[in-house]
Amino acid sequence: MHKVTFKGDDLTVEAETGANLRDVAQIEGASIPFGCEQGICGTCLITPIEGADNLSDIDDVEKDTLEAMGSDDGQRLACQCAVEGDVIVEGFL
Ligand code: FES
């Protein structure tokens, strides 16, 4: 199990390897908003504060959306991230 911390919510929970960060956020009540849940709308933009390497690699859909949004380096879409280790993330409400 890995520790996932949602910084804005001051919430730390446990997640299995491969758990979708969207599922973890929704089940545990984190305040990251979601829309399409398919990596297209950009609603679930997050910044990994620690453990960015412990999230799954960016696929083409997520990459295209992040580029179209003009996101900062390192930002991710929570609905497209699988948990692969301990991570601290911050969302934007
Ligand atoms: S919910 Fe639309 S990109 Fe994640």
Side-chain angles (χ1 to χ4, degrees):
M1 297 292 268
H2 310 295
K3 285 187 179 165
V4 177
T5 299
F6 299 95
K7 190 167 181 229
D9 297 302
D10 199 19
L11 174 68
T12 299
V13 300
E14 292 195 329
E16 295 182 5
T17 300
N20 186 291
L21 191 55
R22 173 201 64 220
D23 294 339
V24 176
Q26 291 180 333
I27 289 167
E28 301 293 348
S31 60
I32 296 171
F34 292 92
C36 69
E37 301 187 358
Q38 297 176 14
I40 297 169
C41 72
T43 302
C44 63
L45 185 69
I46 58 166
T47 298
I49 306 295
E50 288 182 25
D53 291 344
N54 291 330
L55 295 173
S56 55
D57 293 339
I58 297 177
D59 66 14
D60 289 343
V61 171
E62 182 180 1
K63 183 168 176 264
D64 289 349
T65 300
L66 289 168
E67 285 180 2
M69 295 172 67
S71 65
D72 293 336
D73 282 351
Q75 289 186 314
R76 299 292 305 269
L77 298 174
C79 71
Q80 299 300 295
C81 294
V83 177
E84 297 177 345
D86 292 355
V87 64
I88 300 174
V89 301
E90 183 163 37
F92 300 90
L93 271 179

